[in-house]
Amino acid sequence: RYVLSDDGEAVSAGSFNRPGSLWGAVGAEIKTQLMKSAFLMRVWFSRVDESEVRLYIAAVKKAAKLFSEAYPDAEFRVLFWDIRADKDEVSIADRLRQEGIAVYGITPAEFPGFLVDPDKYQIAGDGHPTAYMYHLVAQEIVRQFIESRK
């Protein structure tokens, strides 16, 4: 668990799963059940306020710094999955870019055939990508990487 310090840096403040916390073992199961409600997902879990955005950006900046220190010849990049124009992720991605962090966006629904034959792209009943979808995602990441080098 991280919090934002007074100087805007992400600092560790312990674990989300500490004994007695709301989202401990029992809380995690309750949250899993609550997340099955489309209403609650839209009203409760999907709300992102500015303090959470600032914390997320600070955490990513810290990760980028630690990564660059550990691997000075490598490049740190962020991949947003299912980024859409009507979601908060676009503004967050733009803000990360303003901080000098490379960001890629993958939108599965934009892949040819995704909406027509979803079983080819997602595991039925699970929603995770199939091997074929991972192949397409890898190609898209490579395309975006090459495009960023021009």
Side-chain angles (χ1 to χ4, degrees), residues 3-4 48-58 95:
V3 295
L4 206 55
V48 177
D49 66 27
E50 180 59 25
S51 67
E52 290 171 320
V53 172
R54 285 195 318 270
L55 176 58
Y56 175 76
I57 290 169
R95 289 170 66 176

Side-chain angles (χ1 to χ4, degrees), residues 86-112:
D86 63 336
K87 293 179 80 175
D88 293 329
E89 286 92 341
V90 172
S91 130
I92 295 169
D94 289 342
R95 289 170 66 176
L96 286 171
R97 288 183 186 104
Q98 290 169 2
E99 295 290 340
I101 295 173
V103 177
Y104 297 147
I106 301 294
T107 305
E110 293 179 2
F111 287 103

Side-chain angles (χ1 to χ4, degrees), residues 75 77 102-104 141-150:
E75 297 177 19
R77 296 177 183 272
V103 177
Y104 297 147
I141 291 170
V142 168
R143 186 197 67 73
Q144 290 184 36
F145 177 79
I146 291 170
E147 186 67 28
S148 73
R149 297 296 202 187
K150 291 182 180 178

Side-chain angles (χ1 to χ4, degrees), residues 9 60-76:
E9 186 176 337
V60 172
K61 284 174 54 178
K62 184 170 189 163
K65 179 179 180 278
L66 294 171
F67 179 86
S68 295
E69 289 170 357
Y71 306 100
D73 296 328
E75 297 177 19
F76 182 88

